[in-house]
Amino acid sequence: MAHAGVASRRASEEIIASGRVTVNGSVVTEPGTKVSLSDKIEVDGKQIKIEENKRYVLLNKPAGYVCSQSDEKGRQTAVSLIQSAYDERLYNIGRLDMFSTGMILFTNDGDFAAKLSHPSAEIEKEYIVKSSLPLPRDLAENFKKGVRVDGIFYRAMDAEEINPRKMRVVLIEGKNREIRRVFENAGVGIKSLERVRIGNLTLGDLQPGEFRNLTSQEVQNLLKLCKNRKEI
């Protein structure tokens, strides 16, 4: 399913477990089920096939878009910003919450997505955070040492105060809403949160809503950054 551009491997497992996949007309709920190229595989009643063209797309996501293939609440999806430019079904690698902006990658290459998103890859993701109030003087240092919020431990690889209301944060394993929860725990509201770097990729001149294809060299460079790429 990942090679057919339906969803990432992890999301595909959830789709299978929910009973949305059939093989030759029979519902399959076990992710490890073996299939062949001659089998008819359908997701939500639509037949899927392995896509030959591999796509790797960088989008500068604006605020107000959710990172999912569809949304039950009718909200706009980030993938809708790029869909008209590609025949392939693309899905996002990782997520940004609805109100966050900046870099997000899309692909139909399941192996590429799995390598980059695996926690052991330790791909750096850099964010610029602007706050609505002055930052506590010890927030950046505490974030680097580690902060426990509601029983969950959060620690940035790096954090640096740029000015009294602006901070640079680097994560290598971003937990759900990690930066927002750490800031909220410190009593600071976030005015804007932008991802400006993934590994060695930066936004460059891309404006919000704009996107571009990665070069083959950029794809290879990202894979080289994965710490345990041979074991994933």
Side-chain angles (χ1 to χ4, degrees):
M1 287 171 60
H3 287 294
V6 175
S8 66
R9 288 185 180 181
R10 185 175 301 177
S12 293
E13 290 177 356
E14 296 174 356
I15 292 172
I16 294 169
S18 66
R20 295 165 56 190
V21 179
T22 61
V23 178
N24 300 324
S26 299
V27 175
V28 173
T29 57
E30 291 295 328
T33 301
K34 300 296 183 182
V35 296
S36 68
L37 293 176
S38 61
D39 289 322
K40 182 180 180 181
I41 304 169
E42 295 180 319
V43 178
D44 296 333
K46 296 181 180 180
Q47 186 172 358
I48 63 172
K49 295 181 179 180
I50 293 177
E51 294 175 343
E52 296 181 0
N53 294 325
K54 302 301 183 185
R55 298 290 188 183
Y56 311 90
V57 182
L58 168 61
L59 167 70
N60 184 353
K61 186 185 91 67
Y65 290 79
V66 296
C67 292
S68 59
Q69 294 301 104
S70 60
D71 185 71
E72 67 280 0
K73 297 180 181 179
R75 296 173 297 186
Q76 293 177 302
T77 61
V79 72
S80 69
L81 295 170
I82 67 174
Q83 279 177 327
S84 62
Y86 301 95
D87 293 328
E88 297 81 10
R89 295 180 61 178
L90 304 179
Y91 53 87
N92 47 281
I93 304 175
R95 293 173 179 269
L96 285 172
D97 68 44
M98 180 176 177
F99 302 106
S100 297
T101 66
M103 298 181 67
I104 188 159
L105 297 175
F106 291 83
T107 191
N108 61 344
D109 185 340
D111 290 335
F112 178 76
K115 288 183 171 74
L116 258 65
S117 59
H118 198 281
S120 66
E122 297 186 0
I123 296 292
E124 291 185 5
K125 299 176 182 66
E126 183 175 334
Y127 303 81
I128 298 298
V129 189
K130 296 180 181 179
S131 63
S132 55
L133 296 172
L135 300 167
R137 295 282 76 83
D138 57 354
L139 180 55
E141 193 62 31
N142 287 343
F143 204 171
K144 287 191 291 184
K145 291 178 180 177
V147 179
R148 190 170 296 278
V149 181
D150 296 331
I152 301 176
F153 187 70
Y154 300 105
R155 181 167 61 190
M157 180 184 152
D158 193 20
E160 175 189 14
E161 185 176 309
I162 298 174
N163 64 42
R165 298 193 182 198
K166 188 175 183 180
M167 184 182 294
R168 181 181 70 88
V169 177
V170 179
L171 304 177
I172 57 173
E173 184 188 353
K175 298 182 176 72
N176 184 36
R177 296 176 61 83
E178 177 167 350
I179 295 175
R180 292 188 184 277
R181 286 175 174 167
V182 170
F183 272 60
E184 289 167 3
N185 185 66
V188 181
I190 290 179
K191 186 176 180 180
S192 67
L193 196 164
E194 180 183 23
R195 182 191 285 162
V196 296
R197 179 171 64 87
I198 298 176
N200 49 17
L201 288 177
T202 60
L203 282 172
D205 296 327
L206 277 186
Q207 298 301 306
E210 292 182 344
F211 57 92
R212 68 172 179 84
N213 294 316
L214 298 188
T215 66
S216 58
Q217 189 61 58
E218 287 174 328
V219 172
Q220 292 305 311
N221 288 343
L222 279 174
L223 291 174
K224 288 178 181 178
L225 288 176
C226 296
K227 299 295 183 182
N228 297 312
R229 61 188 182 277
K230 293 181 180 180
E231 290 79 22
I232 294 174

